[in-house]
Amino acid sequence: MGKGFVNLLLLVLACLLCIPDASALTLRSADVHSEDYPTVQAVRYMGQLLNERSGGRISLEVLHSGQLGEEKELLEQCRAGGLDMMRTNLAPLSDTVPEIVVPALPYLFRSEEHLHKVLDGPIGREILVALESSDLIGLAFYDSGARSFYNTRKPLRSVEDFKGLRLRVQQSDIFKSLVESLGAVAVPLPFGEVHNALRTGFIDGAENNWPSYESTGHFKEAKYYTVDGHSMTPEVLVFSRKVWADLSGEDKKLILKAAEDSVPYMRSLWREREAQARRAMEQAGVEVVDIADRDPFIRAVKPVYDRYMSMEKVPDLIRRIQNTQ
């Protein structure tokens, strides 16, 4: 075998090694939260699992801090197939699908433990499957903590204290109805516009969990935080149904398993971040009001429930969630 032939063979082998793997898959996921936020970190962890388990064939790029737009825009991109997956709160997804409506109802979950038992069981699976009606594939649930109200004007200790306040809400009919049932004015705004709206006085307050309240800097303008835990609506990892249809069965299994295995990691990060955020806010001088008796609030929001009770499946789904022990 001549030296020239050997050199040619080596050149051919080198060229073959340079040809990209036709089965390689690069996915993009987006989030409006900052780089150090638990949901962003958990999706990155999911990406690591995917990369390891696929032998480096599948990679996941995580775009954070609203680089691709606000949550509503991201959902549109995901449905259209321009974005592979994203993290979103369940509340803005649909006001017409019972399995998606019910978990967003106010004061539904008794505790974090109750929430997890519901989401980790058959009801949680039903909710994920129901997302297909919104052109999305539900992968897994992440924690969003208990959302509470904060404002620039005064401590909110009772339902009566809400009267007339202009409060930002997610672009969701349930949240709009919730705020109005408490006597306040609901102002739907994209997440990224809230800080400036607080600073300029366009709104008096908003509602969110401790980490979001801290990481956005909203506490600098709105120094009164009322812990009422009106919503424990979960976050959900969703995949574009359009993109999903073109994936192999094996890749679908890898993605679903990696998403599922990222959940305990996310919950651990969340517990740490939530406790840290509350401590930081108290040290920053935020006046915290803990609502010990939520019954007056629960009675006030009954019209929110009444609005959806005529929908098929809603009463039964509420009953099943409330009966989960």
Side-chain angles (χ1 to χ4, degrees), residues 2 23 29 71 92 99 102 135 163 167 172 191 210 227 247 258 295:
S23 65
S29 182
E71 204 159 90
E99 293 89 347
V102 171
D135 290 325
K163 187 175 181 179
L167 301 178
S172 160
F191 184 66
W210 281 111
V227 185
L247 296 179
D295 286 346

Side-chain angles (χ1 to χ4, degrees), residues 89-108:
N89 192 270
L90 197 64
L93 287 174
S94 174
D95 287 301
T96 59
V97 180
E99 293 89 347
I100 303 176
V101 167
V102 171
L105 290 172
Y107 306 109
L108 177 66

Side-chain angles (χ1 to χ4, degrees), residues 6-264:
V6 173
N7 289 338
L8 179 61
L9 181 61
L10 291 173
L11 179 61
V12 170
L13 289 173
C15 290
L16 288 173
L17 290 173
C18 292
I19 296 174
D21 184 356
S23 65
L25 181 62
T26 300
L27 302 173
R28 292 194 311 158
S29 182
D31 201 316
V32 298
H33 289 301
S34 59
E35 186 173 10
D36 63 346
Y37 202 79
T39 56
V40 175
Q41 293 301 311
V43 174
R44 280 191 167 157
Y45 176 68
M46 173 187 166
Q48 292 172 16
L49 295 179
L50 266 177
N51 195 256
E52 292 168 5
R53 294 170 181 178
S54 67
R57 185 174 58 81
I58 302 177
S59 58
L60 177 59
E61 180 184 5
V62 184
L63 299 158
H64 54 83
S65 307
Q67 295 176 52
L68 296 183
E70 295 288 346
E71 204 159 90
K72 184 178 180 181
E73 296 167 323
L74 296 179
L75 281 168
E76 291 172 355
Q77 293 176 50
C78 205
R79 288 181 173 121
L83 178 65
D84 300 303
M85 60 177 279
M86 65 173 291
R87 186 279 328 152
T88 181
N89 192 270
L90 197 64
L93 287 174
S94 174
D95 287 301
T96 59
V97 180
E99 293 89 347
I100 303 176
V101 167
V102 171
L105 290 172
Y107 306 109
L108 177 66
F109 297 103
R110 298 184 295 273
S111 64
E112 182 182 87
E113 292 72 25
H114 180 216
L115 173 73
H116 289 168
K117 284 189 176 180
V118 170
L119 297 182
D120 295 343
I123 297 175
R125 172 49 50 189
E126 289 173 31
I127 296 168
L128 290 176
V129 170
L131 287 167
E132 291 191 33
S133 65
S134 295
D135 290 325
L136 301 166
I137 301 296
L139 300 180
F141 292 107
Y142 281 174
D143 280 11
S144 183
R147 297 173 74 100
S148 294
F149 291 102
Y150 49 91
N151 81 101
T152 62
R153 292 174 56 181
K154 61 184 178 181
L156 304 178
R157 304 181 188 280
S158 67
V159 174
E160 289 70 29
D161 290 332
F162 283 76
K163 187 175 181 179
L165 289 179
R166 289 175 55 84
L167 301 178
R168 178 265 175 177
V169 295
Q170 298 182 65
Q171 291 164 303
S172 160
D173 287 346
I174 287 181
F175 275 76
K176 184 174 182 290
S177 299
L178 159 66
V179 164
E180 290 173 347
S181 70
L182 294 173
V185 178
V187 183
L189 277 179
F191 184 66
E193 296 179 16
V194 178
H195 197 166
N196 189 55
L198 287 168
R199 184 180 57 80
T200 61
F202 179 69
I203 57 173
D204 300 309
E207 52 81 49
N208 219 314
N209 53 51
W210 281 111
S212 293
Y213 175 60
E214 178 202 24
S215 66
T216 55
H218 292 178
F219 70 93
K220 296 175 183 177
E221 314 297 337
K223 297 185 178 296
Y224 302 102
Y225 193 98
T226 297
V227 185
D228 71 310
H230 54 268
S231 174
M232 296 185 74
T233 311
E235 308 279 15
V236 61
L237 280 185
V238 295
F239 204 95
S240 168
R241 189 179 179 185
K242 188 172 183 179
V243 176
W244 188 259
D246 293 331
L247 296 179
S248 69
E250 181 60 29
D251 284 351
K252 289 176 182 178
K253 289 179 184 177
L254 285 170
I255 292 167
L256 284 168
K257 181 60 175 170
E260 178 186 333
D261 290 346
S262 73
V263 172

